[in-house]
Amino acid sequence: MSSHFIIECLDCGHKTPYFPTSISCPKCESVWREARYDYANLSRSLPLQLPSRPFDIWRYRELLPVRSPNPDLSLGEGGTPLIRAVNLGMMLGCSNIYIKDERQGPTNSFKDRQAAITIAALKEAGITEMVVASTGNVAISYSAYAARAGIKLWAFLTSLVPGAKMREVALYGTQVVKITGSYDQAKQVAAEFARQRGLFLDQGARTVPAIEAMKTIAFEITEQLTAHLGPPSGGAPGQRPTTHWRVPDWYIQSVSGGMGPLGVIKGFSEMKAMGMVDRVPRFGMIQADGCSPMVQAWKQNLDIAEPVRSPKTLIATLATGDPGRTYTILRQRIQTESGGEFESVTDEEAFRAMHFLAKMEGISVEPASAVAFAGLVKLVRAGQIKPTDVVVINCTGHTLPIERTVLGTGWARNVVLPQETGTEVPEEGLLSALSKIAVDRFPRIVIADDNPDVRRLIRRILQSQGNYTLFEASDGKEAIRIAQKEHPDLIILDLMMPEMDGFSVLDSLQAEPETMDIPVIVVTAKELTPEEKTRLQGHIQSLMQKGDFMSDELLDEVRALIR
Ligand SMILES: Cc1ncc(COP(=O)(O)O)c(C=O)c1O
Ligand SMILES: [Zn+2]
């Protein structure tokens, strides 16, 4: 398939077309690969195109790994404001502090970029069900976009994730699996679950679209800073400037697994490669003291981070104990392309930053974002950030609790691992724990409707709030065939279908002993005549009018009939 980009292996340099489901290099099997574009051409064409495009993530579509962006999946991602932090700047004695307000993404964190691009790419590749492990925000974001894309999501969250976040994930119709253990353990369990069930597993920082999504933060910052401060003055007097856009002196972000900064630094580097900026900013990477493997390694000048097995921070979002190779790549890029610093702050410093940011700037952030602001204070106090430096801090996420009463109970499955502190989970323990997540046989439901959009809607209603094995029939004959073969627990039946309509399907079901007892819900757009109503009486359990029922009403009927 022709494409505007290719994938290059970071280990052997082998180049291949991109398929989201193929996760390693066909030549050397490395899982570390990145997208490459036609930078020479884009350096000429992109600056001409951008001024007429809306300010959202898709304005950079030629630099994103999605072949045909689908506006129906969009929630208005990207294009977040760059806000001057006047009061914070005054307190710190720095006049050029800017906040990239990623709280204003559709689910209130910068992970919306990752979700929008990754889910778009996976949808394009035909993925319908997938597994993700998360410290909270990725699961929330993926859940929102998966809902739009009709992708069933299993989210493995550590029990440290605040209940309000778990409930938000569940609200979107994702199956929450709560792991009593560390985030690194949750990742292991998720991977095993995906392997057993043959489901697509999100690859974290090795996910090509995720890195590509994050780099748009760099593109936006340079455009916005240029608007705020004017283009950089470049070159000798009388010479035309060689660059068009302004970069900050520092870019600061809190770090867990490191995907964000890895993407952002790629963004700045690509702009440099296209001649749009003259340099990459220094990177200030901030971790929580109780889980700071990258900071420890950086300070000791090590290329590989020693994993933190038992994170000791209340800030669960940042509790990646083992950053793996992400750290090594990030360190190498920061050293060669920009310079910078890795620093850590205490939970208490972060909580204090939460207060001052809210009180002084009117910006309420989650503790994980506050870590970056506490880091800013530390770097300014240490003299690393100079008073005249232009600094951009990524304000990665908002705090938004979901009330307990909204969801009621029963929205999560619990997996209690045999060893809470160990790194290895014994296999039988894991298997028996996993067997509690999902029973082998889910209730089986046939959705019979000739309209694919209606089937998709009903499928989505069912998969978002329960676990069912679903079969789709696009006409009456197919519905009968599936009913005879699969022995479903329920049939959701349209009345007006070509070939064989719903009334005939009911007659046929009634005529056979093995199908006569299957409950039927009729969902129809048809205004029924009194005769038709009589005809249905005694043969169906429930009648619902298309366009006049809410998802939970259908679900209540389904649950009542299947029980
Ligand atoms: C609000 C917030 N800030 C920072 C981070 C750290 O992200 P990264 O994966 O880029 O290290 C996360 C990760 O989930 C997050 O949700
Ligand atoms: Zn390779």
Side-chain angles (χ1 to χ4, degrees):
M1 195 187 302
S2 77
S3 187
H4 60 290
F5 67 105
I6 48 154
I7 301 300
E8 186 178 63
C9 174
L10 295 186
D11 287 306
C12 77
H14 184 61
K15 296 189 172 97
T16 54
Y18 176 58
F19 298 101
T21 45
S22 129
I23 57 165
S24 60
C25 169
K27 202 163 167 205
C28 76
E29 292 184 8
S30 169
V31 292
W32 293 93
R33 301 177 312 150
E34 271 184 353
R36 304 276 180 253
Y37 305 79
D38 183 354
Y39 301 113
N41 262 323
L42 285 171
S43 67
R44 287 186 293 274
S45 60
L46 203 58
L48 301 176
Q49 313 237 25
L50 287 177
S52 62
R53 292 184 177 174
F55 194 60
D56 63 26
I57 205 169
W58 300 103
R59 73 194 260 105
Y60 313 110
R61 67 186 81 111
E62 289 88 350
L63 284 158
L64 293 171
V66 177
R67 293 188 175 98
S68 320
N70 178 353
D72 288 346
L73 298 186
S74 174
L75 284 163
E77 50 281 351
T80 58
L82 187 72
I83 297 166
R84 181 135 178 251
V86 180
N87 293 332
L88 177 58
M90 279 195 314
M91 287 195 296
L92 287 173
C94 298
S95 49
N96 288 310
I97 294 189
Y98 290 88
I99 296 175
K100 181 64 174 158
D101 194 2
E102 290 291 293
R103 300 172 315 155
Q104 300 197 38
T107 76
N108 309 103
S109 89
F110 77 123
K111 295 293 184 181
D112 286 329
R113 293 177 192 268
Q114 173 187 346
I117 305 298
T118 305
I119 296 287
L122 293 177
K123 174 82 178 163
E124 231 173 32
I127 297 285
T128 56
E129 187 166 355
M130 65 181 288
V131 176
V132 69
S134 165
T135 58
N137 290 333
V138 171
I140 290 174
S141 252
Y142 271 45
S143 295
Y145 284 91
R148 292 188 78 73
I151 293 175
K152 158 94 179 174
L153 187 65
W154 296 82
F156 286 67
L157 302 168
T158 89
S159 47
L160 303 170
V161 172
K165 282 193 173 176
M166 291 202 193
R167 288 192 289 277
E168 183 172 1
V169 174
L171 185 66
Y172 286 117
T174 293
Q175 179 62 62
V176 171
V177 183
K178 203 194 253 182
I179 303 292
T180 305
S182 69
Y183 173 50
D184 293 326
Q185 287 176 314
K187 281 199 272 195
Q188 279 177 39
V189 181
E192 181 53 25
F193 179 75
R195 196 191 60 74
Q196 280 181 19
R197 299 229 153 200
L199 296 177
F200 183 82
L201 173 72
D202 184 74
Q203 300 296 314
R206 292 157 301 175
T207 310
V208 169
I211 297 293
E212 297 306 294
M214 290 304 182
K215 78 187 185 188
T216 59
I217 295 172
F219 300 163
E220 287 181 15
I221 287 173
T222 54
E223 284 201 77
Q224 288 171 309
L225 266 187
T226 308
H228 274 279
L229 297 170
S233 52
Q239 268 185 340
R240 279 183 64 223
T242 53
T243 59
H244 311 285
W245 288 349
R246 198 180 264 269
V247 271
D249 297 300
W250 282 88
Y251 171 78
I252 297 185
Q253 181 163 351
S254 54
V255 184
S256 182
M259 171 197 297
L262 204 55
V264 176
I265 202 166
K266 184 173 189 272
F268 282 117
S269 301
E270 283 185 347
M271 295 188 79
K272 197 171 156 210
M274 292 185 286
M276 290 167 167
V277 302
D278 60 352
R279 65 194 159 84
V280 174
R282 265 163 286 183
F283 269 53
M285 305 283 81
I286 320 294
Q287 296 201 290
D289 259 353
C291 187
S292 56
M294 296 198 194
V295 180
Q296 303 308 319
W298 176 268
K299 302 244 184 234
Q300 294 169 59
N301 216 5
L302 298 175
D303 197 31
I304 295 175
E306 175 72 28
V308 172
R309 294 292 175 204
S310 314
K312 293 194 174 45
T313 169
L314 296 173
I315 305 172
T317 304
L318 298 185
T320 301
D322 184 2
R325 197 165 157 193
T326 308
Y327 166 70
T328 307
I329 298 172
L330 187 57
R331 171 179 182 260
Q332 186 249 331
R333 292 194 177 166
I334 289 178
Q335 280 182 333
T336 57
E337 291 172 43
S338 67
E341 183 63 273
F342 285 69
E343 191 52 271
S344 66
V345 299
T346 63
D347 286 6
E348 200 193 339
E349 285 168 326
F351 296 142
R352 235 180 291 137
M354 262 175 102
H355 276 271
F356 72 61
L357 212 56
K359 287 176 183 155
M360 301 308 294
E361 297 291 349
I363 292 178
S364 151
V365 301
E366 72 165 272
S369 307
V371 161
F373 289 89
L376 163 76
V377 174
K378 210 160 170 176
L379 292 178
V380 170
R381 298 252 156 90
Q384 298 219 51
I385 294 179
K386 305 279 181 279
T388 52
D389 281 349
V390 175
V391 184
V392 174
I393 304 124
N394 188 332
C395 180
T396 48
H398 202 301
T399 307
L400 277 184
I402 298 294
E403 296 299 324
R404 233 167 244 284
T405 47
V406 175
L407 281 164
T409 54
W411 44 266
R413 305 272 161 94
N414 265 309
V415 174
V416 181
L417 293 180
Q419 284 173 304
E420 272 195 49
T421 50
T423 51
E424 295 287 321
V425 180
E427 197 171 17
E428 324 99 78
L430 183 60
L431 293 182
S432 81
L434 282 178
S435 71
K436 293 192 192 113
I437 298 173
V439 294
D440 284 339
R441 189 186 186 283
F442 294 129
R444 299 154 86 78
I445 301 178
V446 178
I447 305 165
D449 200 306
D450 57 324
N451 182 339
D453 290 337
V454 174
R455 294 200 303 271
R456 191 182 44 75
L457 174 72
I458 295 177
R459 169 180 278 275
R460 181 65 208 155
I461 290 172
L462 296 173
Q463 74 175 184
S464 67
Q465 292 172 65
N467 295 311
Y468 301 102
T469 301
L470 301 175
F471 303 91
E472 289 184 29
S474 54
D475 60 55
K477 281 194 177 139
E478 202 183 357
I480 299 285
R481 206 172 51 245
I482 297 175
Q484 285 166 349
K485 182 160 169 262
E486 305 292 347
H487 306 290
D489 302 283
L490 177 70
I491 298 173
I492 297 177
L493 182 65
D494 182 24
L495 286 182
M496 292 183 298
M497 289 185 289
E499 303 251 354
M500 184 180 191
D501 69 9
F503 293 103
S504 318
V505 171
L506 285 168
D507 290 343
S508 240
L509 291 172
Q510 295 289 309
E512 298 294 330
E514 79 261 30
T515 54
M516 65 190 300
D517 292 327
I518 302 172
V520 176
I521 296 176
V522 164
V523 176
T524 182
K526 191 170 164 47
E527 277 296 333
L528 294 180
T529 62
E531 297 77 52
E532 284 170 333
K533 282 189 181 153
T534 318
R535 217 179 137 189
L536 290 177
Q537 234 158 41
H539 299 298
I540 66 165
Q541 278 60 38
S542 175
L543 177 66
M544 308 195 84
Q545 207 69 38
K546 275 182 196 168
D548 191 32
F549 66 86
M550 300 301 291
S551 60
D552 47 353
E553 290 166 344
L554 175 64
L555 223 80
D556 285 347
E557 294 291 335
V558 168
R559 288 196 178 126
L561 289 172
I562 278 180
R563 203 173 288 137

